[in-house]
Amino acid sequence: MSKETHTVEKIGGTSMSRSADLLQPLLLNDGGDPYGRVFVVSAYGGITDMLLEHKKTGEQGVYAYFANAENAHGWSDALNRVAQAMNDAHRKVLSAPGDIQAADDFVRERIEGARSCLIDLQRLCSYGHFRLSQHMGIIREMLAGLGESHSAHVTTLLLRSAGVNARFVDLSGWRDDREVTLDERIEQAFRDVDCASELPIVTGYAQCTENLMSLYDRGYSEVTFSRLAARTGADEAIIHKEFHLSSADPKLVGLKNVKKLGHTNYDVADQLSNMGMEAIHPSAAKTLRQAGIPLRVTNAFEPTDPGTLIDDAPARSPQVEILTALDVFALEVFEQDMVGVKGYDATILQILTRHNVDIVAKTSNANSITHYVDASPKLLKRVENDLAAEYPTASVTVQGLSVVAAIGRDLSGLNALGRGLAALERAKVALVAVQQGPRNVDIQFVTTREDADTAVRALHDALIEQDNESAREARATVVKDGSQLAA
């Protein structure tokens, strides 16, 4: 790859579904030079859910049907639905008949290739020496790659029709029998790419020996994006979303009350990931941070707005930057004989790790340990069973709650905890627990799920809106007072 300066930019699935709207302002750079950029694309909205399973509801996709089916009809029918959804998606983006035909042919070739592979695998595993379970991880990877390959191919067609020298860079390893690492896959794909005269459109999924989905599951596209930025020496990594990274959900606190972050650091990004509000996958953030590459999060539909820059810089002054909430389950293990006995914490953590449960927060005292976890009730039931088997005399309880977090690069000296508690009391929010660590980057208020939205509004008003108003008044005083302005 040529060593010209460039950015690596990612477009998410929801924005991809509106890529025709993004053609002029974003992809064509509003009449400016469209080159010096690399775009990593996600599958069109909903396609990956149909290929695997719905991320939120768990509704079965092709993968889930294949894993559970006794015959081919269920997963094969699901694969047909994916093909139709892909065709519908690119018809909303492409207008030239030749491009639509090329996209249809691409979908047919990939879908039927995947179908043949799954049929052959089912036939092979009908013999006792082969176990389907041993291949499910690879199947998941192959299916996930179909969505990104489709969207990248279609975006390349769209740009070429607009007169841009776009290049389809397929990292999915389709019909490639080489065993390569992610870095090798990227280096081979970009060996002769010239960003000064080409606009590479890259698949968010990359087939490699690391097996990205087994490590990062649905966060694989951001891992590909960050590694690509690091390996090619990008000046900046950019994620284009449908919205700005703001101080709270505008639907909760009102559009006029939210504030675009503008500038924050990777520490805040990590706290947001912990709360299920990923500006970027934590592993991807680590790659960018270690490579010294700043990340910018923009609103794809406001391309002239610089968005929010995320780097290693500390805050200029202490402030609460963002309020967010996450529904969790409080998993409490109470054992009267726990006090003074070591090993409970480690064993509970081993069980949670074995079931791949995401831990948001934890508290403990003399005879109880509580983990606030982001997991399904079905998964937690398995955890409960394992805990009961390990500690038969312990009481294990599960309660649905919400964690509301106030996050900022530096919360020292703000009395944010005291002010937050007062605001929640005024709003009559039933507070279950609260904790603040010594690093002063977040405060977690645990509430009932019913009170979570009210808590976000109350805390945003007390810790962000009122502080903004105070800052505005202070600036107005400085402007009026000539001596202060001169100082």
Side-chain angles (χ1 to χ4, degrees), residues 9 62 79 98 137 142 158 201 219 228 299 313 338 416 438 444 455:
E9 310 181 31
V62 177
L79 199 57
M142 178 189 72
L158 178 68
I201 306 299
L228 177 58
N299 184 327
M338 184 185 297
Q444 295 179 332

Side-chain angles (χ1 to χ4, degrees), residues 129-207:
H129 296 82
F130 302 93
R131 293 289 180 269
L132 187 60
S133 59
Q134 297 173 351
H135 303 281
M136 291 309 297
I138 301 301
I139 293 169
R140 188 172 178 83
E141 298 248 348
M142 178 189 72
L143 290 171
L146 296 176
E148 272 84 6
S149 296
H150 170 242
S151 62
H153 180 258
V154 172
T155 304
T156 303
L157 292 172
L158 178 68
L159 285 165
R160 287 176 179 170
S161 289
V164 175
N165 185 24
R167 178 167 176 169
F168 174 40
V169 181
D170 189 358
L171 302 181
S172 71
W174 185 255
R175 299 190 184 281
D176 185 348
D177 59 2
R178 293 174 297 174
E179 288 285 320
V180 296
T181 65
L182 177 56
D183 287 345
E184 290 170 339
R185 177 74 67 190
I186 291 170
E187 288 171 5
Q188 290 170 6
F190 278 81
R191 185 170 295 152
D192 62 347
V193 170
D194 181 6
C195 281
S197 60
E198 296 179 293
L199 183 55
I201 306 299
V202 189
T203 58
Y205 169 74
Q207 191 277 328

Side-chain angles (χ1 to χ4, degrees), residues 24 35 78 119 123 179 194 243 253 293 302 367 382 445:
Q24 183 62 41
Y35 303 111
I119 290 172
R123 185 182 299 116
E179 288 285 320
D194 181 6
F243 46 80
V253 303
I293 299 173
E302 295 181 20
N367 48 26
R382 296 174 190 158
F445 302 89

Side-chain angles (χ1 to χ4, degrees), residues 329-343:
F329 287 99
L331 176 70
E332 182 185 77
V333 178
F334 169 78
E335 171 64 86
Q336 194 72 59
D337 298 327
M338 184 185 297
V339 60
V341 180
K342 292 179 171 52

Side-chain angles (χ1 to χ4, degrees), residues 222-239:
E222 292 185 354
V223 173
T224 301
F225 155 76
S226 64
R227 192 76 67 87
L228 177 58
R231 296 300 299 180
T232 60
D235 298 283
E236 192 171 83
I238 304 173
I239 294 181

